[in-house]
Amino acid sequence: DTAVSQTPKYLVTQMGNDKSIKCEQNLGHDTMYWYKQDSKKFLKIMFSYNNKELIINETVPNRFSPKSPDKAHLNLHINSLELGDSAVYFCASSQGQRLTNEKLFFGSGTQLSVL
Amino acid sequence: GQQLNQSPQSMFIQEGEDVSMNCTSSSIFNTWLWYKQDPGEGPVLLIALYKAGELTSNGRLTAQFGITRKDSFLNISASIPSDVGIYFCAGQLAGSARQLTFGSGTQLTVLP
């Protein structure tokens, strides 16, 4: 029944490893996002996809690669993890063809800890 | 990117008290929203505002879209323990159909 679900909830890994976070939404929304929340709780957008097409790619290292196999899924793959990547990553979705729909529905987050 | 100044950063209040928090910016926004984040969860939308001067309520919560379109306020009346969490303002810049800009959050603690 969860509208936006992401897995895993917690991810603990060593520096240099490659990891993926998966996200699925069952709301029928056209747009999906990845946000990063740092230790000070600041939320910053990373990527946005509309119907599998990349719309927003903020200044994010190219070690981060989003992949959208269909409009209900947006996964985040991270290569060569660094200590500074430790944060909570949120997937979100919104309705509408363009980025004018501001009502975001968030997943419950993935706590990434890089050791 | 554009910055939203949200204050206060944190609040400790007694149960039953009213709470006010606000967001300001030097830029004009078309839309203001208020989200709440419970511990271990993602933010959840509380109120959305679309017109300057608009005042909207959701239960004990009331939010206003500032006349200048550069600020917004959220009030919580008669606080209860489950109001604990982080409250975020977010805005959508005028002239841009792009992503939301989030404030830095207000951590609310309600003491019994």
Side-chain angles (χ1 to χ4, degrees):
Chain A
D1 289 327
T2 304
V4 182
S5 59
Q6 54 182 109
T7 56
K9 177 73 173 175
Y10 301 97
L11 186 52
V12 182
T13 188
Q14 299 284 335
M15 272 177 53
N17 284 349
D18 303 338
K19 290 294 179 184
S20 292
I21 308 172
K22 295 185 177 181
C23 180
E24 176 182 5
Q25 55 95 3
N26 62 8
L27 298 167
H29 287 170
D30 294 312
T31 307
M32 295 185 71
Y33 312 79
W34 278 106
Y35 278 81
K36 179 180 180 181
Q37 186 173 47
D38 62 22
S39 59
K40 295 183 179 179
K41 306 301 182 184
F42 185 69
L43 276 164
K44 184 173 172 58
I45 192 168
M46 300 173 68
F47 301 102
S48 173
Y49 270 73
N50 179 264
N51 279 318
K52 303 193 299 176
E53 181 184 351
L54 180 64
I55 301 297
I56 292 175
N57 182 350
E58 292 295 310
T59 308
V60 175
N62 57 15
R63 298 181 295 104
F64 291 78
S65 53
K67 285 186 173 54
S68 182
D70 55 62
K71 76 171 193 176
H73 296 82
L74 181 62
N75 304 321
L76 183 64
H77 187 76
I78 315 171
N79 289 326
S80 303
L81 278 156
E82 300 178 356
L83 293 176
D85 296 333
S86 296
V88 181
Y89 292 84
F90 286 101
C91 177
S93 72
S94 68
Q95 185 55 287
Q97 294 291 329
R98 302 179 62 204
L99 288 179
T100 53
N101 191 297
E102 65 293 336
K103 293 182 180 176
L104 299 179
F105 291 78
F106 284 87
S108 57
T110 296
Q111 172 82 60
L112 173 64
S113 299
V114 182
L115 307 177
Chain B
Q2 296 298 324
Q3 208 168 9
L4 289 182
N5 302 308
Q6 186 171 349
S7 65
Q9 188 174 12
S10 62
M11 301 181 75
F12 292 81
I13 61 169
Q14 294 292 137
E15 185 176 352
E17 288 183 352
D18 298 343
V19 174
S20 288
M21 59 192 79
N22 69 80
C23 265
T24 61
S25 175
S26 57
S27 300
I28 292 174
F29 285 81
N30 277 340
T31 307
W32 283 98
L33 305 103
W34 286 91
Y35 286 82
K36 182 194 177 193
Q37 184 178 15
D38 289 329
E41 298 295 330
V44 173
L45 181 65
L46 298 173
I47 292 177
L49 303 158
Y50 301 100
K51 288 169 51 178
E54 180 180 352
L55 185 71
T56 297
S57 293
N58 178 4
R60 294 177 296 105
L61 277 61
T62 302
Q64 185 161 26
F65 193 139
I67 290 292
T68 65
R69 297 171 64 192
K70 295 182 179 181
D71 57 6
S72 180
F73 302 85
L74 175 69
N75 296 321
I76 306 173
S77 62
S79 58
I80 59 178
S82 63
D83 290 334
V84 165
I86 304 175
Y87 291 79
F88 290 98
C89 64
Q92 196 170 45
L93 278 169
S96 171
R98 290 185 62 84
Q99 71 275 15
L100 292 180
T101 300
F102 279 84
S104 52
T106 295
Q107 173 74 63
L108 178 64
T109 302
V110 180
L111 305 171

